[in-house]
Amino acid sequence: METKRTVFPNKVLPYLFVAPQLIITLVFFIWPATQAVKSSFERADPFGFSTQFVGLTHYIRLFQDPLYLNSIGRTVMFAIAVTAISMGLALLFAAAVSRLIRSSQFYTTLLVWPYAVAPVVAGILWWFLFNSSTGILAYMLRYFGVIWNANLNGTHAMILIIAAAAWKQISYNFLFFLAGMQSVPHSLTEAAAIDGAGPFKRFWTIVFPLLSPTTFFLFIININYVMFDTFGIIAATTNGGPNQATNILVYKVYSDGFIGLNIGSSSAQSVVLMLFVIALTFIQFRYVERRVNY
Amino acid sequence: MASITLTSVKKTYHGNVTAIHGLDLSIEDGEFVVLVGPSGCGKSTLLRMIAGLETITTGEVRIGNTVVNRLEPAERDIAMVFQNYALYPHMSVRGNLEYGLKNRGTPRPEIDRRVLEAARILEIEPFLDRKPRQLSGGQRQRVAMGRAIVRQPKAFLFDEPLSNLDAKLRGQMRVEIRRLQRTLGTTSVYVTHDQLEAMTLADKLVVMNAGVIEQIGRPLDIYADPQSLFVAAFMGSPGMNLVDIERLRGLVADLPASIPSGTGTIGIRPEDIALDEPATPHFTISATLEAVELVGSESLIYANAQGLSEDVVLRSQGIHRGNPGDPLTLHIRHEVLHSFLRETGRKAAA
Ligand SMILES: Nc1ncnc2c1ncn2[C@@H]1O[C@H](COP(=O)(O)OP(=O)(O)OP(=O)(O)O)[C@@H](O)[C@H]1O
Ligand SMILES: [Mg+2]
């Protein structure tokens, strides 16, 4: 296909058109990123008047710091739980909705709503539900003998943020799974039914394998989401506590830098995260297109 | 292997579209039955009801001696070949062939034996480890056939299995399907709207129209003796010439007396109209040549007779050299006339 080329008579005009986007990218992404890389190699005096080059010191300290290693552990746990729960439930919902004939539109609409909720709001919502004195879920848990208190109990706090983060992401995963399932030709499942496969077997041996490109894509997207976009949820609920229990990497960048005022270490942490996201993006571009196993 | 019996089978989709209007059909054990009919007449619907992919609104479907209305497709022990083949794209050819056997818990050595045998019969052994996307259309078609035969089911159901192939390959596969079915002796129901497939494959041909059966019979019997206007026009390519009797009377003074009363339409096959005078009793129509289609071994001649609303088509052997406007004399023997009742369109009793 031949792409249409617009030729501008004025040489400057095209640059003006792209300038807003370029400026935003430069000011809010490129510049802070270079600043972060730069300050991760520097130490500033308490008043910020002078800086001194310290090489890899921050990075070395980081990986010797038990708090940072704890944060990595917490993040891994959080990421696995949120990705597994949100993708698992989304797959279940998509499978259920794709079996419906008439009311599928209705359920799809309802299931997509949480996606429109900002992370902070999602966090607050679940914080209210799980609030130890007024929350309905905390109240119900009392019947099972669980004294719920996310402010004191680290496990409870972790469950709270996992629930909020997974809940919000289900919508997105659901939409992709549903679209993926609808693009599996009907005759394949019919052929499998004739070949003696029951509904579960059909799903696991035909539909799910054919969904693998979608699943892989969503996996990358979800990891990205858990690592970065969940900041708002934590900021609105646990603030990384109690006792570091929910201090995942992205929140630790913020708390060490802006609350603890350890700019050097915070910068080093954000550079580590940056490398991580670059690696993810690379994997995504490199393999998502090719991970089609048929 | 088993017989298939449909009794008063009716299908209504979502309460308003009735695709099949109470239909009876019995298929003998080992018989090859072909369903033909125009698009949308309910052929696929009928086949899918036998397969269990569509619910049966009312009526009864039996495979062998079992009423299968409430059985899952898997429990009916039939195999189906789909128009788009429906091969599992993520499995190798071997995987596709094995799938149904594995699901039924067939022991491993037996699976291997059957897969190899099917692959040998269909000549797809070299492709066993390829994925379906690495095969040509014809090879995929063979794999789809293979998937049906490894299971050794009670019946084969085919829904236009050859319509995605080019004409030549279609001819080859047609012959092969026939041969295969003869050897295996498996009861088969085959849906098509290809005349040639219908005529050559069927032991029993079922002509359908708008959800009802128009005629059931051996292919040549149906061709020679269509029981309704619909069948007369549908079977044959081109179909029968259908002429209003009043217009014909206006044109021909000596129509035979044997035409039954109540006849509204006279049908004449294109090959039954001769340009040379025959020895047996006949009448003639004067016409002018409109167009000639040369098909190779034969010519299709379109002739216009004053007073008839449509062109008459005739088939003549060899190459007919003529130009539009040439006068023609059409000779029609008395015995080739088909009479259809004005009221119902059914064949008029002699
Ligand atoms: N799922 C469905 N819902 C509603 N109506 C349907 C459905 N499937 C088929 N029909 C209708 O039932 C009638 C018969 O359809 P069917 O697919 O059996 O036709 P067919 O004879 O196989 O035609 P073709 O030769 O084009 O494949 C058609 O009028 C069609 O519109
Ligand atoms: Mg059809």
Side-chain angles (χ1 to χ4, degrees):
Chain A
M1 200 179 73
E2 202 173 316
T3 41
K4 200 171 163 218
R5 257 186 91 153
T6 312
V7 179
F8 288 95
N10 189 325
K11 286 254 182 288
V12 187
L13 198 60
Y15 295 100
L16 279 179
F17 281 144
V18 291
Q21 182 61 51
L22 282 181
I23 289 170
I24 286 174
T25 311
L26 276 174
V27 171
F28 291 101
F29 295 95
I30 309 288
W31 185 38
T34 37
Q35 285 297 311
V37 174
K38 181 166 164 285
S39 51
S40 73
F41 296 113
E42 290 171 343
R43 172 175 294 148
D45 71 90
F47 304 102
F49 290 134
S50 66
T51 54
Q52 171 194 2
F53 183 79
V54 294
L56 288 173
T57 313
H58 291 308
Y59 292 93
I60 293 163
R61 285 221 187 122
L62 208 52
F63 286 96
Q64 289 165 346
D65 178 3
L67 286 182
Y68 190 70
L69 298 179
N70 169 65
S71 176
I72 291 179
R74 293 280 151 183
T75 308
V76 168
M77 186 205 284
F78 180 60
I80 290 175
V82 171
T83 305
I85 291 173
S86 67
M87 284 181 67
L89 286 179
L91 191 64
L92 193 72
F93 288 143
V97 167
S98 69
R99 287 176 73 92
L100 297 173
I101 300 164
R102 262 167 282 186
S103 38
S104 66
Q105 283 290 326
F106 173 74
Y107 284 105
T108 303
T109 310
L110 289 190
L111 280 163
V112 167
W113 270 351
Y115 190 58
V117 175
V120 179
V121 181
I124 292 173
L125 188 104
W126 284 87
W127 184 77
F128 271 119
L129 286 173
F130 273 127
N131 187 293
S132 51
S133 44
T134 58
I136 180 98
L137 292 179
Y139 179 74
M140 289 191 322
L141 280 170
R142 211 165 300 159
Y143 281 100
F144 299 99
V146 180
I147 305 302
W148 185 269
N149 194 336
N151 292 330
L152 298 176
N153 184 322
T155 311
H156 291 179
M158 182 52 99
I159 292 174
L160 169 64
I161 62 167
I162 288 172
W167 174 75
K168 208 189 114 44
Q169 191 64 1
I170 286 174
S171 304
Y172 186 88
N173 296 344
F174 165 77
L175 274 186
F176 275 85
F177 276 135
L178 186 65
M181 283 178 196
Q182 283 168 347
S183 66
V184 173
H186 227 55
S187 56
L188 290 185
T189 43
E190 289 178 346
I194 290 175
D195 265 344
F200 280 97
K201 190 149 211 182
R202 290 204 288 274
F203 184 81
W204 288 116
T205 57
I206 307 290
V207 179
F208 190 68
L210 293 179
L211 278 180
S212 64
T214 309
T215 310
F216 186 68
F217 164 80
L218 284 178
F219 179 74
I220 301 283
I221 294 288
N222 277 268
I223 297 287
N224 235 323
Y225 161 80
V226 183
M227 299 290 288
F228 300 95
D229 295 352
T230 47
F231 175 83
I233 291 174
I234 291 156
T237 54
T238 63
N239 285 318
N243 189 24
Q244 305 285 327
T246 58
N247 203 2
I248 64 166
L249 291 173
V250 65
Y251 193 79
K252 195 165 159 55
V253 170
Y254 162 80
S255 62
D256 285 3
F258 293 90
I259 298 171
L261 290 178
N262 189 346
I263 301 294
S265 171
S266 167
S267 298
Q269 291 178 34
S270 71
V271 170
V272 170
L273 278 181
M274 212 164 7
L275 292 176
F276 183 77
V277 81
I278 288 170
L280 267 190
T281 314
F282 177 79
I283 292 172
Q284 180 177 343
F285 276 108
R286 178 92 200 233
Y287 295 106
V288 159
E289 295 296 315
R290 274 205 262 143
R291 251 298 290 215
V292 186
N293 63 4
Y294 54 87
Chain B
M1 270 149 265
S3 60
I4 300 175
T5 317
L6 312 187
T7 319
S8 314
V9 168
K10 191 173 164 187
K11 175 70 190 184
T12 308
Y13 282 111
H14 298 314
N16 43 29
V17 188
T18 301
I20 303 286
H21 302 266
L23 178 150
D24 295 293
L25 177 64
S26 79
I27 298 166
E28 311 294 324
D29 188 0
E31 201 170 28
F32 199 123
V33 169
V34 175
L35 306 177
V36 272
S39 189
C41 71
K43 306 179 294 288
S44 298
T45 304
L46 195 61
L47 199 70
R48 293 167 57 82
M49 282 197 285
I50 299 174
L53 299 174
E54 241 19 287
T55 55
I56 297 158
T57 311
T58 59
E60 196 179 89
V61 175
R62 282 168 183 276
I63 298 178
N65 294 320
T66 327
V67 177
V68 296
N69 286 39
R70 312 214 136 267
L71 295 187
E72 289 292 315
E75 298 166 313
R76 300 187 183 198
D77 195 17
I78 42 88
M80 185 154 168
V81 179
F82 292 80
Q83 179 171 359
N84 63 2
Y85 315 139
L87 299 178
Y88 312 123
H90 56 299
M91 297 182 196
S92 64
V93 169
R94 190 191 300 277
N96 270 275
L97 297 182
E98 288 177 352
Y99 188 71
L101 295 172
K102 280 202 265 183
N103 288 336
R104 285 180 163 71
T106 315
R108 190 76 236 178
E110 176 71 4
I111 293 183
D112 291 338
R113 196 184 62 71
R114 290 216 213 163
V115 167
L116 280 181
E117 190 186 330
R120 187 181 50 75
I121 293 174
L122 289 162
E123 296 165 18
I124 49 175
E125 288 153 306
F127 319 125
L128 276 177
D129 294 311
R130 290 204 205 160
K131 294 278 170 70
R133 74 182 146 85
Q134 299 165 314
L135 300 178
S136 73
Q139 291 162 347
R140 283 178 211 181
Q141 218 289 324
R142 284 164 186 277
V143 177
M145 293 281 305
R147 197 169 61 178
I149 68 172
V150 282
R151 291 243 326 276
Q152 304 181 349
K154 288 200 184 114
F156 294 139
L157 308 177
F158 300 89
D159 194 352
E160 307 198 22
L162 304 183
S163 58
N164 284 351
L165 302 180
D166 66 63
K168 190 156 178 219
L169 204 51
R170 204 181 310 161
Q172 266 175 341
M173 284 308 292
R174 193 176 67 219
V175 175
E176 214 161 311
I177 288 180
R178 189 70 190 109
R179 190 172 49 80
L180 201 62
Q181 197 269 344
R182 281 269 155 78
T183 341
L184 300 173
T186 309
T187 314
S188 302
V189 186
Y190 188 106
V191 164
T192 182
H193 45 221
D194 184 298
Q195 296 271 336
L196 217 52
E197 282 174 29
M199 295 300 292
T200 54
L201 286 174
D203 291 324
K204 181 148 88 189
L205 186 57
V206 178
V207 185
M208 289 181 63
N209 181 29
V212 298
I213 292 180
E214 286 276 339
Q215 189 170 349
I216 304 181
R218 288 187 302 178
L220 287 179
D221 292 347
I222 289 185
Y223 188 80
D225 191 15
Q227 295 296 310
S228 70
L229 272 178
F230 174 82
V231 178
F234 186 76
M235 294 307 296
S237 156
M240 204 179 260
N241 293 293
L242 297 171
V243 187
D244 184 80
I245 188 130
E246 296 311 325
R247 288 178 188 265
L248 196 61
R249 279 193 205 290
L251 214 61
V252 181
D254 57 344
L255 278 184
S258 59
I259 293 176
S261 62
T263 297
T265 308
I266 293 289
I268 310 157
R269 288 266 174 227
E271 58 272 29
D272 289 338
I273 302 178
L275 294 174
D276 307 319
E277 180 156 2
T280 44
H282 62 274
F283 61 85
T284 57
I285 300 176
S286 307
T288 51
L289 194 151
E290 282 285 318
V292 181
E293 284 178 349
L294 300 175
V295 190
S297 62
E298 59 180 27
S299 312
L300 294 177
I301 303 167
Y302 293 81
N304 181 279
Q306 203 82 63
L308 296 188
S309 51
E310 281 175 41
D311 283 354
V312 172
V313 188
L314 60 129
R315 196 192 297 267
S316 105
Q317 290 304 311
I319 295 168
H320 182 86
R321 303 198 187 279
N323 296 312
D326 288 355
L328 293 173
T329 306
L330 314 180
H331 302 268
I332 299 156
R333 285 173 294 133
H334 291 174
E335 76 230 31
V336 303
L337 300 184
H338 300 264
S339 310
F340 299 98
L341 293 174
R342 180 179 301 286
E343 302 294 321
T344 58
R346 303 299 298 180
K347 178 186 156 107

